[in-house]
Amino acid sequence: MAASAVTAVRGWSGLLLGVRSVVLRLPGLTQVRWSRYGPEYQDPQIDKGYYRKPLAALTEEEKYERELRKTQVIKAAPATRTSSVFEDPVISKFTNMMMKGGNKILARSLMTQTLEAVKRKQFEKYHAASPEEQATIERNPYTIFHQALKNCEPVIGLVSILKGGHFYQVPVPLADRRRRFLAMKWMITECREKKHRRMLMPEKLSQELLEAFHNRGPVIKRKHDTHKMAEANRALAHYRWW
Amino acid sequence: MAALRVSCGAAASYRLFLGGRVSFARGQGLWKAAAAKPQRSPGCQILRLRHTTVVTTRKNVAVLRRETYTVDFIKKQIEEFNIGKRHLANMMGEDPETFTQEDIDRAIAYLFPSGLFEKRARPIMKHPEEIFPKQRAIQWGEDGRPFHFLFYTGKQSYYSLMHEAYGKLLDVENRQDQLRAKGLFSEKTKAKDPIGSRWLIKEELEEMLVEKLSDQDYAQFIRLLERLSALPCDAAEEEFVGRFRRSVTIQSKKQLIEPLQYDEKGVAFSTGQGNRKTAKAKVAVYDHGSGRIEVNGVDYLLYFPVTQDRFFFSLLPKL
């Protein structure tokens, strides 16, 4: 039952609802440690399709969920979210990771230039290729970007564990978000460090993305090195306690 | 003849006693041997210096105990409040019979204007029930025997409530069994909880029972009520469960929707305002528009050259 104790709107009549206090909450309402919102606040629904769906097409569950949402308090949408068709959460995350010193304008422009460079390179290849090969060449920069990052994701990771005064590299399973983060981090680090001084970031990044798309290149090599280290250290796997 | 014995000590302070008590110092290094008792020779007083340290004496502070308000005291307060309410209505020139709490609040704010930032520190005039905390009457008689049979559980109101709720649950189940025996039972699946109400929160339940509860007690109680409400209940049971539900407001009702305004050409428009930190914004939206958005007289593309600043325009519904 949705209106049960575990999802009860929590607020003391005297205090402001929404301001986090030190009171321990009931299980079922998750707390985020440094969020200024209380646990009763729901995330905003930005998808326009959700609102444009006709009432007749809704299932009972969806109707109930909408009625429930009318009584819930909603957080404000962050400035980076939009309901545009061009929004891509992976691109946004990558842009944020590339950003230095809060210069989002520069990071975004680098990202768009990278995607443009990828597209141009692929189109050159397309026009230079024979009709049979043309079918295999991928020209959409977004699919190339997603596939490249997916190819860079490690399956297993290594963690430094202190035991007996020494640090050991222990193989450890990774959560999905950690894998995605590592793929993006390796890509950005590689492009920042291993390029010629005069080469610009979009050029280098587009090059690396295309190589990763074809499962070759330094980032893929780093992923394989991680896998080999994990395989070599598999005897230390029992050092992990979680 | 006065024999004066003086000896220096680094941090010792000196007290002159005339046959006084010896006060003991706390620090070892500071304490010097107390002088002997003053010897009274006939005819003269011997003054001896005693070397002591300053010792703080305990003040007679009354132990802070929770104020207990007797029933008579509360009754007297309520009478005074009601009479005061009528006087206040008279002072404000209003009808004493139809003087509500909001009127009282307004009158007090008018008569005692306060600039204090803390709203709870401003003068208030409320019903004594809201001001004096609810307290429990003495739970036992003159012979020392408690009135309630569950007194020795420590949480008598809570356990008696659980007892009552479980009794109701058993009644409902008995009724169902009887119907099933007669063959008149129909498997009616109850509709999901209507969204307009929620269960009491733990603080509200504690206030109702005038007892401290733990989180597990509260969760147990709510589980029991949910079990009860899931079964087909009588009006009495529904009323019992209804006592522990509070209504929930629809959030959009809290927004003030102003009526449409019309300009000289008859075009409908609506205004709104908002602020963020020190920035203030006023918006006017016109009917039958061209889709252009102007900010401070300049097109929004020129005012917000950065793409991210224009993101929120996509969140506006296209009507």
Side-chain angles (χ1 to χ4, degrees):
Chain A
M1 278 185 209
S4 61
V6 291
T7 54
V9 170
R10 194 72 188 210
W12 196 191
S13 48
L15 295 171
L16 266 178
L17 245 186
V19 176
R20 286 172 55 76
S21 58
V22 205
V23 172
L24 182 66
R25 308 279 181 169
L26 276 179
L29 292 178
T30 47
Q31 292 192 89
V32 179
R33 192 179 293 184
W34 33 76
S35 166
R36 296 299 295 155
Y37 287 113
E40 62 272 358
Y41 273 78
Q42 305 296 319
D43 288 315
Q45 179 60 260
I46 300 195
D47 175 31
K48 270 190 178 157
Y50 175 89
Y51 297 106
R52 286 190 181 145
K53 217 170 171 184
L55 270 168
L58 298 172
T59 62
E60 284 303 316
E61 288 285 335
E62 286 182 339
K63 278 197 189 123
Y64 183 77
E65 194 250 329
R66 286 201 190 198
E67 287 294 308
L68 187 61
R69 248 182 115 74
K70 286 185 191 168
T71 59
Q72 288 170 336
V73 252
I74 316 271
K75 299 182 197 175
T80 48
R81 296 289 307 277
T82 168
S83 56
S84 159
V85 291
F86 302 112
E87 194 201 350
D88 193 344
V90 184
I91 301 265
S92 306
K93 184 61 82 178
F94 196 83
T95 319
N96 285 340
M97 287 177 72
M98 266 212 300
M99 174 168 61
K100 269 187 178 173
N103 198 346
K104 182 71 105 40
I105 301 172
L106 181 61
R108 262 183 82 88
S109 68
L110 289 175
M111 197 69 229
T112 42
Q113 284 167 38
T114 308
L115 294 169
E116 191 194 332
V118 163
K119 193 166 179 178
R120 278 187 192 276
K121 285 181 187 169
Q122 290 299 91
F123 265 86
E124 272 176 25
K125 242 196 271 181
Y126 182 83
H127 291 311
S130 61
E132 305 86 39
E133 285 168 41
Q134 272 179 0
T136 56
I137 293 175
E138 177 60 57
R139 284 174 291 167
N140 186 348
Y142 292 94
T143 40
I144 292 175
F145 182 81
H146 289 140
Q147 189 57 43
L149 284 182
K150 219 181 287 188
N151 290 348
C152 291
E153 282 179 20
V155 166
I156 192 166
L158 293 162
V159 152
S160 286
I161 288 182
L162 177 65
K163 194 154 170 117
H166 296 278
F167 282 96
Y168 295 102
Q169 294 295 314
V170 175
V172 109
L174 299 171
D176 277 340
R177 57 176 184 272
R178 178 76 185 154
R179 293 165 58 203
R180 287 192 286 263
F181 170 79
L182 281 175
M184 289 197 248
K185 186 85 187 167
W186 288 345
M187 180 66 75
I188 291 170
T189 327
E190 169 67 40
C191 293
R192 277 181 183 163
E193 288 166 10
K194 305 279 176 50
K195 69 172 167 68
H196 183 65
R197 186 178 52 85
R198 301 282 302 197
M199 191 193 265
L200 295 171
M201 183 67 158
E203 197 190 319
K204 174 73 178 170
L205 188 51
S206 55
Q207 201 180 318
E208 293 305 330
L209 283 171
L210 285 168
E211 291 202 335
F213 177 71
H214 295 294
N215 266 314
R216 46 172 199 260
V219 191
I220 299 287
K221 182 175 172 300
R222 185 165 175 180
K223 173 183 91 156
H224 289 324
D225 288 344
T226 311
H227 288 171
K228 279 183 207 151
M229 269 278 270
E231 182 61 34
N233 284 3
R234 67 175 191 267
L236 307 172
H238 60 93
Y239 283 0
R240 178 173 67 98
W241 62 84
W242 63 89
Chain B
M1 264 172 296
L4 227 70
R5 204 171 27 208
V6 180
S7 104
C8 303
S13 64
Y14 301 97
R15 281 258 167 86
L16 216 59
F17 278 103
L18 278 172
R21 295 185 306 278
V22 176
S23 37
F24 291 96
R26 257 173 279 146
Q28 300 284 315
L30 300 174
W31 188 64
K32 300 266 189 231
K37 290 197 301 280
Q39 289 162 349
R40 289 176 201 276
S41 59
C44 66
Q45 291 274 17
I46 298 173
L47 287 171
R48 280 169 206 274
L49 262 182
R50 289 174 194 249
H51 314 301
T52 60
T53 52
V54 177
V55 168
T56 50
T57 49
R58 281 189 87 164
K59 288 189 236 163
N60 282 333
V61 176
V63 174
L64 282 168
R65 225 175 252 113
R66 196 179 302 189
E67 285 272 0
T68 44
Y69 303 110
T70 54
V71 178
D72 301 322
F73 175 79
I74 299 279
K75 263 201 213 143
K76 199 158 80 67
Q77 294 293 318
I78 294 176
E79 275 166 27
E80 283 183 11
F81 172 78
N82 287 327
I83 293 170
K85 196 164 93 161
R86 296 184 74 90
H87 277 307
L88 189 64
N90 237 345
M91 270 193 265
M92 300 299 288
E94 308 243 2
D95 179 20
E97 305 297 330
T98 55
F99 206 56
T100 59
Q101 186 59 48
E102 281 117 29
D103 296 326
I104 296 177
D105 292 335
R106 254 185 290 123
I108 296 290
Y110 170 72
L111 292 168
F112 302 100
S114 162
L116 293 174
F117 288 129
E118 176 63 65
K119 296 263 160 74
R120 289 178 289 181
R122 293 183 180 178
I124 47 164
M125 182 168 159
K126 295 231 187 264
H127 192 89
E129 294 278 289
E130 291 170 44
I131 295 179
F132 295 104
K134 269 204 228 172
Q135 282 167 348
R136 314 178 66 180
I138 300 291
Q139 309 285 323
W140 51 87
E142 278 178 9
D143 55 351
R145 288 189 72 205
F147 297 133
H148 204 285
F149 73 105
L150 289 174
F151 173 80
Y152 288 111
T153 59
K155 296 181 247 186
Q156 64 183 52
S157 330
Y158 168 72
Y159 282 110
S160 68
L161 191 64
M162 288 288 278
H163 185 69
E164 202 187 328
Y166 193 64
K168 289 204 177 346
L169 185 70
L170 288 177
D171 289 338
V172 169
E173 284 178 353
N174 274 341
R175 231 182 304 122
Q176 275 192 335
D177 290 338
Q178 282 166 8
L179 284 177
R180 236 185 243 121
K182 285 189 206 163
L184 296 167
F185 181 71
S186 51
E187 280 288 347
K188 261 182 297 184
T189 47
K190 264 198 128 170
K192 263 190 171 171
D193 276 334
I195 299 181
S197 57
R198 59 165 175 88
W199 291 117
L200 272 187
I201 53 170
K202 184 169 155 237
E203 282 87 4
E204 287 173 351
L205 186 62
E206 280 183 348
E207 203 188 4
M208 198 194 242
L209 299 176
V210 197
E211 239 173 27
K212 283 256 168 296
L213 297 176
S214 74
D215 283 340
Q216 291 86 3
D217 290 337
Y218 169 73
Q220 183 84 350
F221 179 61
I222 296 293
R223 271 201 289 274
L224 187 58
L225 284 180
E226 280 183 8
R227 242 180 97 187
L228 182 57
S229 62
L231 301 170
C233 295
D234 252 0
E237 276 119 29
E238 294 282 349
E239 189 264 328
F240 176 76
V241 171
R243 269 177 27 205
F244 302 102
R245 288 198 79 97
R246 295 281 178 271
S247 61
V248 170
T249 48
I250 293 181
Q251 297 297 326
S252 54
K253 297 274 194 288
K254 291 183 185 171
Q255 304 285 343
L256 183 67
I257 298 175
E258 290 180 29
L260 278 179
Q261 299 166 63
Y262 293 89
D263 67 358
E264 55 272 356
K265 289 186 191 153
V267 178
F269 72 97
S270 185
T271 51
Q273 33 187 22
N275 39 28
R276 163 88 182 135
K277 292 186 176 179
T278 51
K280 288 185 219 144
K282 273 194 287 233
V283 179
V285 181
Y286 290 84
D287 198 10
H288 302 301
S290 56
R292 266 179 297 132
I293 303 174
E294 271 192 6
V295 183
N296 289 0
V298 174
D299 189 50
Y300 78 113
L301 214 54
L302 300 173
Y303 197 86
F304 294 119
V306 180
T307 317
Q308 192 174 293
D309 299 339
R310 293 196 299 267
F311 273 179
F312 81 96
F313 287 115
S314 79
L315 295 173
L316 298 172
K318 295 252 176 355
L319 298 156

